[in-house]
Amino acid sequence: MSSDKSPAHSRESRQQMLVDYVFNTGSATIGDLVDLTGVSNMTVHRDIDELVRRGLLRKYRGGVSAMPSTVFESNAEYRMNAHAGAKRLIAMNAVEHVEPGMSVLLDDSTTALALAKLLPPMAPLTVATNYLGAIDVLKDVEDLRLICIGGDYSPTHDSFLGMQCLEAIERLSVDIAFVSTSAMNTEMTYHQEPEIVMVKRAMLASARRKVLLMDASKMERTALHRLAPLGDFDLLIVDEEIDAHLADELRSRVELEISEDID
């Protein structure tokens, strides 16, 4: 059995493994998770206790379950680690559509955050966002005008929402908006939270060019609330894990770019 004296990055990757497994299966026993990770029962309990504290899992006697999807899928910490490689590839493709001098609008998705990290070399730029993570990345960039869209702070999303946020977005007119959401099919995009839907719709209405950033895990899924028809977007950027037949169908409805790892 593996030693409990693991380096921090191993603990982080193990906890992400636990979260992904429980999310995909719905629930798991402690024994299941010990077998999955190869560490001790005590270590699994410590990991679970930390994940429960962070709002990612729910613990019951003998096992754990995923939080309801409306809570779980919106948790900023979970989204930060989920499908990070795919988001990086999508961001590398997306930045090719940004030119110096542009005004850019970023939503509070972690895919847009991956794009924010690539924007400094493109300055001079004007970037507007309601995502505190993106603000932190861009706040000290020379020749970049940063517009911080305020409102009611949401710790779950690490972003600003509400009426003040909507009003601030509605006063903007930008060259390009990059948004993501939690689910889509070949006709429609979706999100599980109405307040997020309203903010994203306002962003789309304020942009001359609308770019949707979606990793393949979000494909052929739905959520409670409709966001916008796929045809409302000028461009859809996905990662290379997308099913080939699905890609062909999407191309009949929207301009599609597939981000591939060239390493």
Side-chain angles (χ1 to χ4, degrees):
M1 187 169 291
S2 300
S3 169
D4 290 350
K5 296 180 179 179
S6 304
H9 71 273
S10 296
R11 182 174 65 253
E12 291 171 2
S13 62
R14 185 178 66 242
Q15 290 178 356
Q16 186 64 41
M17 184 191 305
L18 292 174
V19 168
D20 290 340
Y21 181 82
V22 176
F23 178 63
N24 289 327
T25 60
S27 64
T29 67
I30 299 300
D32 291 336
L33 301 180
V34 168
D35 292 340
L36 175 71
T37 59
V39 297
S40 71
N41 187 290
M42 184 178 297
T43 298
V44 167
H45 272 287
R46 283 200 297 263
D47 284 342
I48 291 171
D49 287 343
E50 182 173 342
L51 293 167
V52 168
R53 178 182 59 78
R54 285 153 50 186
L56 294 172
L57 298 180
R58 175 181 293 158
K59 192 175 185 179
Y60 60 88
R61 186 175 179 84
V64 293
S65 62
M67 294 295 287
S69 61
T70 53
V71 175
F72 188 89
E73 293 183 6
S74 296
N75 186 286
E77 185 173 353
Y78 170 74
R79 291 186 293 116
M80 189 70 68
N81 295 312
H83 310 286
K87 293 172 183 177
R88 177 183 58 84
L89 289 177
I90 291 169
M92 291 173 64
N93 190 325
V95 77
E96 297 297 322
H97 296 274
V98 178
E99 299 177 1
M102 271 187 166
S103 52
V104 179
L105 185 56
L106 303 178
D107 72 354
D108 63 353
S109 66
T110 50
T111 311
L113 178 60
L115 172 58
K117 295 175 182 178
L118 302 179
L119 291 179
M122 306 303 297
L125 289 174
T126 297
V127 180
T129 183
N130 67 324
Y131 191 9
L132 196 58
I135 292 169
D136 191 53
V137 166
L138 299 172
K139 64 184 180 182
D140 296 320
V141 176
E142 188 175 355
D143 292 330
L144 186 145
R145 180 188 180 193
L146 179 61
I147 300 175
C148 304
I149 301 172
D152 296 323
Y153 177 69
S154 167
T156 299
H157 305 89
D158 196 29
S159 65
F160 299 94
L161 306 170
M163 186 61 67
Q164 289 176 313
C165 177
L166 289 171
E167 291 176 349
I169 294 169
E170 289 168 355
R171 290 194 292 268
L172 297 175
S173 178
V174 300
D175 294 316
I176 190 166
F178 294 95
V179 304
S180 186
T181 190
S182 57
M184 66 169 285
N185 56 30
T186 56
E187 297 182 355
M188 183 66 61
T189 58
Y190 303 85
H191 199 279
Q192 62 272 11
E193 295 175 274
E195 60 268 35
I196 300 294
V197 169
M198 292 172 66
V199 169
K200 292 181 189 290
R201 284 179 179 169
M203 288 183 167
L204 296 177
S206 296
R208 284 182 284 280
R209 183 165 170 78
K210 306 164 182 61
V211 181
L212 179 62
L213 311 175
M214 297 288 281
D215 67 76
S217 71
K218 301 174 178 179
M219 303 290 178
E220 292 293 86
R221 296 178 56 192
T222 63
L224 183 59
H225 299 284
R226 295 186 177 192
L227 170 58
L230 191 59
D232 284 3
F233 295 91
D234 298 295
L235 174 65
L236 167 62
I237 304 179
V238 303
D239 66 284
E240 60 190 350
E241 295 301 317
I242 187 172
D243 177 81
H245 294 293
L246 177 58
D248 288 341
E249 189 169 355
L250 289 170
R251 284 192 182 95
S252 69
R253 299 180 181 274
V254 66
E255 182 181 352
L256 177 70
E257 292 184 0
I258 299 177
S259 307
E260 298 181 351
D261 192 346
I262 59 175
D263 293 340

